[in-house]
Amino acid sequence: STLKFVTVLYRHGDRSPIEIYPTDPYKESDWPQGFGQLSQEGMKQHFELGQFLKKRYTGFLSESYDRHEIFIRSTDVDRTLMSAEANLAGMFPPNGSEVFNPDLRWQPIPVHTVPAEKEKLLSFPLEDCPRYTQLMNETEKTNIFLNMTETYKGFFAMVRNKTGLEKLDFGNIWSLYDTLFCEAKHGMRPPDWVTPSVMETLKVLNNFVYQILFGVYKRKEKCRLQGGLLLDQIIKNLSNAAAPDSKQEVKIMVYSAHDTTVVALQEALNVFNGLQPPYASCHLIELHQEENGMFTVEMFYRNDTNVSPYNVSLPGCSQRCSLQDFVKLTREVIPQDRDKECQI
Ligand SMILES: CCCNC(=O)[C@H](O)[C@@H](O)C(=O)O
């Protein structure tokens, strides 16, 4: 078979926390670039991912950077823009004739974006959809959600007391976990109340938040209003690449985004593993043409740099899924008229 087109979606690299909690011993000034910024660890993670992609697609992409072959789009957020730049530094170090400064093994490559308030492809959950808000309110009335709230009632009370967070619920527990995770990752000793077991419980609650965003209750409808928008665009690109007189020159489309973007897409594909995607984790969608001329879609998820990317197959389809079946099996999460579906 021949590889014809690749879509890459990745989460940005390691960053500083987005915010702190009232009793946090660490402040924004403890972070070299302040809150929400890509760290040097994050830059390295994406440089490595870029090198991985270069190797994986040797023979598919030209040896040197060719602007007709690749298109990169990022959300308009420093950490994703910078992740894409670090990624490209790993993917396309200039060879001979491309070197413009002998002391610099780097060449500029465009990273496209749209203003945050206009971003509808790579930022999820989109907050412009009253029906989605209603679905999230309904989710909070499901037994699963009520059981989680009841089970962890005491834990939430303890954490509220220790953090000084008046309001602490599934709406913001993910942020507390994130802050503690970032601080621990960067060698900042946590307060004594943050024991390994407390961290483990926070991790479970954090993952539950990612699970309910686009799943657990009315997954298909939530996905039609959210990740289905991205999947729709990806399928359009696949179909264009597979068209007989295809005018599509781009061979690889790269999206630089967030953990929630990866989850939104994977829930739409019904392949989400229920865990917050790690830094620089990467979902790959490859379009192949078989000897018999048929087009097939193959997917992989790289969430651990120590092992090869995992095969990911659409439920109801094989690892090499015909494009026809891929389109048919995902149709129910592609919005037909999202504006109408969002109205309540
Ligand atoms: C309000 C902050 C939301 N969080 C983000 O934007 C982060 O980039 C998050 O999506 C991530 O992938 O770390």
Side-chain angles (χ1 to χ4, degrees):
S1 73
T2 319
L3 188 54
K4 302 292 278 186
F5 178 70
V6 179
T7 303
V8 178
L9 169 65
Y10 53 64
R11 182 191 179 194
H12 57 70
D14 181 282
R15 59 165 168 75
S16 54
I18 306 267
E19 60 188 2
I20 50 175
Y21 54 92
T23 61
D24 194 331
Y26 305 103
K27 306 297 168 220
E28 181 156 19
S29 53
D30 290 310
W31 298 92
Q33 302 298 331
F35 288 153
Q37 293 298 317
L38 193 69
S39 65
Q40 292 210 346
E41 168 63 14
M43 296 169 194
K44 290 174 186 168
Q45 288 169 337
H46 264 284
F47 188 82
E48 188 277 335
L49 178 58
Q51 291 183 310
F52 166 83
L53 293 170
K54 177 182 185 60
K55 227 173 291 154
R56 184 182 180 91
Y57 297 120
T58 298
F60 171 61
L61 295 175
S62 306
E63 180 45 43
S64 44
Y65 166 68
D66 176 341
R67 65 188 170 84
H68 301 101
E69 289 185 350
I70 181 169
F71 188 90
I72 305 97
R73 173 172 166 168
S74 169
T75 56
D76 191 17
V77 178
D78 292 357
R79 55 187 171 273
T80 51
L81 290 163
M82 291 162 72
S83 290
E85 290 160 9
N87 193 290
L88 289 165
M91 211 170 166
F92 296 106
N95 66 20
S97 64
E98 294 177 307
V99 173
F100 74 95
N101 174 327
D103 303 330
L104 190 59
R105 291 170 59 199
W106 172 85
Q107 62 179 322
I109 292 171
V111 176
H112 299 273
T113 192
V114 301
E117 61 280 1
K118 289 195 170 39
E119 180 61 71
K120 307 263 304 197
L121 186 70
L122 298 177
S123 264
F124 298 104
L126 292 163
E127 304 294 356
D128 64 344
C129 184
R131 175 60 183 154
Y132 176 74
T133 307
Q134 193 173 56
L135 285 172
M136 292 314 286
N137 292 334
E138 290 175 12
T139 304
E140 300 193 2
K141 299 188 186 86
T142 61
N143 284 337
I144 296 180
F145 191 92
L146 295 171
N147 289 345
M148 287 292 279
T149 306
E150 187 51 36
T151 304
Y152 292 97
K153 199 180 174 75
F155 180 82
F156 272 104
M158 180 277 288
V159 174
R160 223 172 264 122
N161 174 269
K162 294 290 183 185
T163 57
L165 287 164
E166 254 118 64
K167 181 180 172 300
L168 182 71
D169 55 25
F170 284 105
N172 63 339
I173 191 83
W174 64 271
S175 178
L176 173 67
Y177 173 75
D178 179 73
T179 300
L180 293 169
F181 176 85
C182 293
E183 290 170 347
K185 196 98 164 12
H186 287 259
M188 298 168 167
R189 199 182 132 74
D192 293 346
W193 65 271
V194 183
T195 63
S197 130
V198 163
M199 236 2 223
E200 193 45 45
T201 302
L202 283 169
K203 184 175 184 174
V204 167
L205 299 176
N206 178 63
N207 284 328
F208 180 66
V209 169
Y210 284 87
Q211 290 158 25
I212 59 175
L213 273 179
F214 312 111
V216 175
Y217 170 78
K218 293 196 177 177
R219 178 189 69 84
K220 289 176 192 170
E221 189 176 359
K222 286 180 182 176
C223 288
R224 266 206 308 282
L225 305 175
Q226 299 290 344
L229 282 170
L230 174 55
L231 182 54
D232 186 27
Q233 183 55 59
I234 290 171
I235 287 174
K236 283 182 166 73
N237 294 340
L238 290 171
S239 306
N240 287 341
D245 55 348
S246 173
K247 293 179 193 53
Q248 183 149 305
E249 281 189 293
V250 168
K251 299 178 87 170
I252 183 166
M253 173 67 78
V254 180
Y255 296 127
S256 180
H258 306 264
D259 50 10
T260 48
T261 318
V262 175
V263 177
L265 177 64
Q266 292 186 333
E267 279 283 28
L269 293 162
N270 203 7
V271 298
F272 178 46
N273 67 5
L275 306 172
Q276 179 187 8
Y279 289 130
S281 52
C282 176
H283 187 97
L284 301 169
I285 302 179
E286 298 177 350
L287 179 71
H288 295 261
Q289 184 163 29
E290 307 299 332
E291 277 69 25
N292 63 13
M294 252 185 56
F295 285 92
T296 55
V297 182
E298 197 163 8
M299 299 194 289
F300 302 88
Y301 183 42
R302 186 181 197 237
N303 66 354
D304 177 350
T305 55
N306 301 312
V307 297
S308 300
Y310 298 107
N311 286 351
V312 168
S313 48
L314 269 189
C317 211
S318 52
Q319 172 63 16
R320 275 266 168 108
C321 184
S322 76
L323 177 59
Q324 196 180 5
D325 289 345
F326 189 92
V327 171
K328 200 165 55 186
L329 288 165
T330 52
R331 189 161 291 133
E332 55 194 355
V333 290
I334 304 297
Q336 300 314 315
D337 182 346
R338 185 174 178 275
D339 293 345
K340 185 159 166 289
E341 285 210 58
C342 283
Q343 286 166 3
I344 50 176

